[in-house]
Amino acid sequence: MAKVPPLRALTVFLAVGRCGTFKEAGRELNITTSAVSHQIKELELFLGRQMFDRFNRGVRLTMEGSAYFKIVTKHIQPLREQLSKCSAGHRERP
């Protein structure tokens, strides 16, 4: 069975992909820029490839990173929707 990347690293990856900087992703997730950097490094080591090109004022998804971003986004969204439904149902109970 294939191993799955850590969910936290995927969450950070998606935030960085949307925001374009580690700093903004950190703000969105309420974690430090250093924590963002460590999560991205962990994911890149897990995958064995670089997901972002780094620049002085931000990052940009590599071609592989962009393809992976689309795949992860596509598969995470149904999970988020199901979790929302479960959370909503849980709140309605007495």
Side-chain angles (χ1 to χ4, degrees):
M1 186 158 96
K3 289 187 175 185
V4 177
L7 185 56
R8 183 66 174 161
L10 288 176
T11 301
V12 172
F13 169 72
L14 291 173
V16 174
R18 282 190 310 274
C19 295
T21 68
F22 287 6
K23 186 175 183 177
E24 287 300 315
R27 282 187 190 147
E28 178 180 305
L29 298 169
N30 200 31
I31 61 174
T32 65
T33 303
S34 178
V36 170
S37 179
H38 287 288
Q39 290 295 318
I40 296 302
K41 181 182 271 188
E42 180 180 351
L43 180 64
E44 290 177 333
L45 286 172
F46 181 91
L47 296 173
R49 47 188 42 91
Q50 189 173 331
M51 296 286 105
F52 295 96
D53 290 319
R54 283 125 168 112
F55 302 98
N56 287 339
R57 296 199 173 254
V59 295
R60 182 180 59 222
L61 288 161
T62 62
M63 286 179 63
E64 287 181 321
S66 182
Y68 195 67
F69 182 85
K70 289 175 187 171
I71 290 167
V72 173
T73 300
K74 175 183 175 183
H75 293 284
I76 287 284
Q77 191 56 39
L79 179 60
R80 286 181 176 153
E81 290 169 7
Q82 286 301 314
L83 288 172
S84 266
K85 289 177 186 176
C86 289
S87 294
H90 178 63
R91 285 190 298 258
E92 292 174 6
R93 292 181 181 169

